[in-house]
Amino acid sequence: MSAPEKETAVTGTGRAPAGGLAVTHDVERIEAPVTWKAYLICAFASFGGIFFGYDSGYINGVLGSAIFQNAVDPGSNAVSESNQSLIVSILSCGTFFGALIAGDVADFIGRKWTVIFGCLIYGLGVVIQMITGDGDPLGAIVAGRLIAGIGVGFESAIVILYMSEICPRKVRGALVAGYQFCITIGIMLASCVVYATEGRSDTGAYRIPIAIQFLWALILGIGLMFLPDSPRYFVKRGNLPRATDALSRLRGQPKDSEYIQVELSEIVANEEFERQLIPSTTWFGSWANCFKGSVWKANSNLRKTILGTSLQMMQQWTGVNFIFYYSTPFLQTTGAISNTFLISMVFTIINVCSTPISFYTVEKFGRRTILLYGALGMLICQFLVAIIGVTVGFNHTHVDPADATKTLADNIPAVNCQIAFIAIFIFFFASTWGPGAWILIGEIFPLPIRSRGVGLSTASNWLWNTIIAVITPYMVGANRGDMKSSVFFVWGALCTGAFIYTYLFVPETKGLSLEQVDKMMDETTPRTSAKWKPHKTFASEMAEGGFLNKGVVADVERSGSAV
């Protein structure tokens, strides 16, 4: 052991020597051992996924409610394609703008308070949706979902940022995957509530599913008040005492513990290194920093921004939202399923049960690996659904003898086979791309642009979510594209693109600290990244006598106060 390491070795009391922030040369000793407290804090933060999932899931069943259909389009037995498109997509539109704004707010008031503020906005949107039964129902549901969407945008961007910054590196992937797990739970809860209320003959058939959303905002908003903010946020603001306090609470160690001092040293040293590359500038300049550098350089800010936004774009391109947004009205036209609400709920249960697999695989096999195999599995399922559909399945229909306004599939077993492959597709998505894309966007950005980079990536998710929500009713609507099963050729082709993109451009970040990820992307390529190992710490390069250079600490405090 070298002299500096001897000075920073854990003593019998587990305390760091006095005199400043201790450093270490050992890349494996830059974090404290993982405790149950760390697990519980991160698990609670992931509860924010309930917002995303429930809001995405409840509208599917509400659109299938006869009471709601008659309120929005009086005298009709279905919500029109244009109104379906507007109602579903307007939430994603609000979320897009919320995610873009959230990055700036998170750098100004902190990560956790931004999420709490998002909860307040979300609650306001829910109240407006609750008055759908009075006045103009369409106007109320659209306005309420737009405002709620802004709150979901705050939450979806900043919860990922917050979790990535507070989670221990060895389990960060599994814990951030918990966010996706909560999304799936939210979708399942929405399906259960919709299924339970579908038989009601009053406005409770859709008002109850809407009202329950308010509960999620209360739980997350109140709970976060008792949790520490991100220590990396305090370092960015130059407030090292509060960063020390936050890190101590997160790791379950005393403030003067060697583990706390060494991890804080690494964060501070990396912040100083990044500030030399990405100096503080104006508000516009800080956004422009996200797009600086060459597209051909793997570690450039531009390349990272493209990677984050494209990962979220491709997650939406898989076609999973087509199933969760429109499966109920889509399956109602097949004649193969007597209770389409029940089948939609089965899809959500598969989604929930499959996601925890990623808790193990993302740390065992890595992010890049599960995205590759996930894309391969999804594209096979999508093409099988499409091929079966256009040959013997759902694309071959006849008029329902009992109701001349409806059509039924000629081959019911073939349609059931299609439904089975859709369920397998959900399994592949939920265990790979569902959590994988969220994990990576929280890991690839350097601290000076992390909040904006994550915000842009999340905004990309919601932008493409909006586009898909808008165009899908026209793609499969009987009076428009009427693609039926052929729409799965589109999703299959896009999953093929995701497979190729992952192989060429997605790096492996498993087991690395956020600071080490930046170094890895600078020294390797995506296809060789899995073999890269950290060889030195940032803090050791800026150390004097076993402690972080006081000039570095002063620079971070001074530059942080100017943010």
Side-chain angles (χ1 to χ4, degrees), residues 121-134 136-137 139-148 210:
I121 299 173
Y122 181 80
L124 175 62
V126 172
V127 171
I128 294 174
Q129 290 179 70
M130 279 292 294
I131 63 174
T132 298
D134 304 310
D136 180 5
I141 194 74
V142 169
R145 281 176 62 80
L146 176 64
I147 294 172
I210 291 172

Side-chain angles (χ1 to χ4, degrees), residues 59-206:
I59 198 62
N60 179 28
V62 167
L63 288 173
S65 166
I67 304 294
F68 182 81
Q69 292 167 354
N70 190 59
V72 173
D73 286 316
S76 174
N77 61 358
V79 179
S80 68
E81 292 162 6
S82 59
N83 283 343
Q84 273 194 52
S85 174
L86 175 62
I87 291 169
V88 174
S89 64
I90 197 66
L91 175 99
S92 304
C93 180
T95 309
F96 169 78
F97 290 106
L100 285 180
I101 297 168
D104 282 332
V105 178
D107 277 348
F108 184 66
I109 66 174
R111 283 41 167 158
K112 80 167 187 177
W113 290 107
T114 301
V115 177
I116 292 170
F117 185 45
C119 291
L120 294 174
I121 299 173
Y122 181 80
L124 175 62
V126 172
V127 171
I128 294 174
Q129 290 179 70
M130 279 292 294
I131 63 174
T132 298
D134 304 310
D136 180 5
L138 181 62
I141 194 74
V142 169
R145 281 176 62 80
L146 176 64
I147 294 172
I150 294 173
V152 174
F154 273 56
E155 176 275 324
S156 59
I158 306 307
V159 164
I160 290 296
L161 174 64
Y162 179 63
M163 292 183 68
S164 297
E165 291 190 342
I166 68 173
C167 289
R169 65 190 174 105
K170 292 181 180 179
V171 292
R172 186 178 59 242
L175 290 173
V176 176
Y179 177 79
Q180 175 66 22
F181 183 50
C182 284
I183 291 176
T184 65
I185 291 176
I187 295 173
M188 183 184 72
L189 288 173
S191 293
C192 292
V193 172
V194 168
Y195 184 60
T197 60
E198 66 162 323
R200 294 180 67 97
S201 58
D202 57 14
T203 58
Y206 60 89

Side-chain angles (χ1 to χ4, degrees), residues 285-316:
S286 62
W287 274 103
N289 281 333
C290 294
F291 303 95
K292 286 186 176 179
S294 169
V295 72
W296 306 111
K297 185 180 179 183
N299 198 42
S300 71
N301 289 352
L302 174 61
R303 180 74 170 264
K304 291 175 180 177
T305 299
I306 292 174
L307 176 61
T309 54
S310 59
L311 277 169
Q312 291 293 335
M313 173 184 72
M314 289 178 185
Q315 189 202 58
Q316 295 300 304

Side-chain angles (χ1 to χ4, degrees), residues 35 52 91 97 106 111 123 127 151 177-178 204 229 257 292 340 443:
T35 65
F52 188 160
L91 175 99
F97 290 106
R111 283 41 167 158
V127 171
D229 212 324
S257 162
K292 286 186 176 179
T340 54
E443 296 178 332

